[in-house]
Amino acid sequence: MKFSEAEYWNGIILYGLNAATYKIALGKTLLDLTQRNQQVVTWDALSQAYLDNYLSRLAAAQAMPQQSNPARLTIMERIVREYQLGKLTYAQAVEEVGLRAFHDVIPRFQTIGTDREIVQGKFYNADFGRSLNLTEALFRVADGEVANLQSQLDSRWGLLEGAFQISHDHSQLANDLRGIYLLNGYHRTNLTANIPFLEGYQANTCFYCGEPMAAGGVHVDHVLPRQVLHHDEIWNLVLAHQDCNLSKSDRLVGEHFIQKLIARNENIMGSNHPWKGKIERELGSSPAQRAKSLRKHYDNAKEILGAYYWGGAAGYNPEADSFYRKLITRLNNKKGAF
Ligand SMILES: [Zn+2]
């Protein structure tokens, strides 16, 4: 299975889970560094370029949060803050970055989804604490594309900040909705018990990417995130690859998946399975009522999560994303599942 170098780059930028903005900043830094036409970059030059990216991003008086936990600042936010307050000189800030900012992001950047082998060493090799060796592949990907790739990274950075901002600062309505779901919710039940039932409605393919699923690799996923709904009702459960499940995480899906879920639920309602009674009790007794109830929950989840979409956009559909489908097939093959 062949991926192009540009696909590898996009895979790194678009498919990982981001608990903070480090990866995006490193992507921008690597592109900046290609503009110097030097293959070997000193740790100091790397630290400086990385710091400069954060300094310009956090220059605004109302800098956006760089990670999801509102009680904490990232290492880079602390360094930038201390520099802005005059506690660190620029040279000291660069040194701090070199010493403290790279332990996670340098080893982890070259990862797609949950896989650390596919792209390891593709764009750089690190002599940690000393230098970074940029590969020919990085220069080829950057060639003539720096402006485009930088703007892709900037919009990604903005999306992450927006999602982190929402987790810090909920509107009253979002807080009220959260409270209602929490009040009516219950602790997680044993989801694997639902697999045999749900399999009958998915023809052994993943709800999200449409690729086949191997026995043992099937995961039960909440289409609307459990951390919003706090329940395991069957109308919101589908089967997916482990990697699709992880990649989606607790984010919103696009409207096309809501339509697909409504159709799937109507399939269950058309059968004689006793569990159809559960769906009727939860969503309503007619197809129109059920569609309306499900959409109401979707709207509530949007209110609570904001524009926190899988893939960064409401239109993202892994079923139509050939790179994503190839990637999932490759990850599954690697596990020896087929
Ligand atoms: Zn899948």
Side-chain angles (χ1 to χ4, degrees):
M1 195 153 316
K2 274 287 194 187
F3 297 108
S4 70
E5 286 164 345
E7 281 179 320
Y8 281 126
W9 178 267
N10 286 335
I12 290 173
I13 303 309
L14 298 176
Y15 297 113
L17 278 177
N18 292 291
T21 56
Y22 293 132
K23 196 171 83 171
I24 308 303
L26 184 59
K28 289 182 63 68
T29 300
L30 291 171
L31 293 172
D32 291 340
L33 292 172
T34 62
Q35 300 308 287
R36 304 179 186 187
N37 290 315
Q38 287 175 337
Q39 209 138 28
V40 180
V41 177
T42 65
W43 208 251
D44 201 55
L46 168 69
S47 306
Q48 190 178 328
Y50 196 66
L51 176 62
D52 288 347
N53 269 296
Y54 271 102
L55 285 178
S56 62
R57 193 80 201 180
L58 300 176
Q62 287 288 312
M64 298 280 279
Q66 300 300 307
Q67 50 109 32
S68 59
N69 183 344
R72 298 186 56 191
L73 288 178
T74 62
I75 289 168
M76 286 308 298
E77 285 171 292
R78 278 204 300 273
I79 293 171
V80 167
R81 189 75 62 83
E82 288 181 5
Y83 168 69
Q84 287 168 337
L85 292 170
K87 195 176 168 193
L88 294 175
T89 65
Y90 183 75
Q92 287 170 329
V94 170
E95 196 184 342
E96 282 288 291
V97 170
L99 288 172
R100 298 164 60 205
F102 293 133
H103 291 282
D104 283 330
V105 72
I106 292 287
R108 283 193 196 161
F109 179 82
Q110 298 181 103
T111 301
I112 295 182
T114 57
D115 190 281
R116 292 181 178 215
E117 285 163 35
I118 295 178
V119 279
Q120 203 53 247
K122 193 87 190 161
F123 297 116
Y124 61 78
N125 291 290
D127 182 0
F128 201 88
R130 292 187 186 83
S131 62
L132 203 68
N133 208 326
L134 310 181
T135 65
E136 290 297 331
L138 177 65
F139 285 95
R140 281 193 295 268
V141 165
D143 187 33
E145 289 294 322
V146 169
N148 284 339
L149 296 174
Q150 289 286 24
S151 92
Q152 181 192 47
L153 283 160
D154 285 331
S155 67
R156 205 76 193 162
W157 201 331
L159 279 168
L160 282 175
E161 289 173 334
F164 298 156
Q165 182 71 43
I166 284 158
S167 76
H168 292 201
D169 177 30
H170 284 298
S171 71
Q172 190 56 47
L173 175 57
N175 277 332
D176 291 348
L177 288 169
R178 263 190 193 280
I180 290 166
Y181 283 115
L182 196 57
L183 212 59
N184 293 319
Y186 48 78
H187 288 296
R188 191 177 273 271
T189 56
N190 177 15
L191 296 179
T192 53
N194 299 301
I195 290 177
F197 170 70
L198 292 172
E199 265 172 346
Y201 297 92
Q202 278 186 230
N204 214 28
T205 58
C206 172
F207 184 80
Y208 297 112
C209 71
E211 295 292 301
M213 291 186 298
V218 178
H219 280 241
V220 181
D221 186 67
H222 299 79
V223 178
L224 302 179
R226 192 185 202 285
Q227 66 116 328
V228 172
L229 296 188
H230 297 283
H231 67 56
D232 303 318
E233 293 304 314
I234 203 87
W235 63 263
N236 189 44
L237 300 180
V238 297
L239 302 181
H241 291 114
Q242 178 182 19
D243 287 290
C244 289
N245 188 16
L246 284 171
S247 167
K248 170 179 166 276
S249 185
D250 58 359
R251 287 174 289 187
L252 283 172
V253 292
E255 160 71 23
H256 46 278
F257 284 125
I258 299 305
Q259 286 171 20
K260 190 171 174 177
L261 183 62
I262 289 171
R264 194 288 310 267
N265 286 338
E266 290 311 312
N267 258 340
I268 297 176
M269 296 309 293
S271 72
N272 276 322
H273 199 282
W275 285 7
K276 73 184 218 185
K278 294 186 189 191
I279 295 177
E280 198 168 275
R281 276 194 300 279
E282 284 280 318
L283 297 180
S285 55
S286 74
Q289 271 177 352
R290 288 190 288 273
K292 196 176 161 199
S293 308
L294 201 151
R295 282 183 190 287
K296 183 75 195 154
H297 290 298
Y298 182 50
D299 288 343
N300 289 344
K302 280 197 265 191
E303 184 67 36
I304 290 168
L305 295 173
Y308 191 43
Y309 284 98
W310 187 15
Y316 178 65
N317 183 358
E319 264 189 287
D321 181 338
S322 65
F323 173 81
Y324 186 85
R325 296 182 60 163
K326 275 197 286 180
L327 177 68
I328 287 296
T329 304
R330 167 126 172 215
L331 292 174
N332 279 297
N333 283 340
K334 275 185 59 184
K335 286 171 195 140
F338 287 168

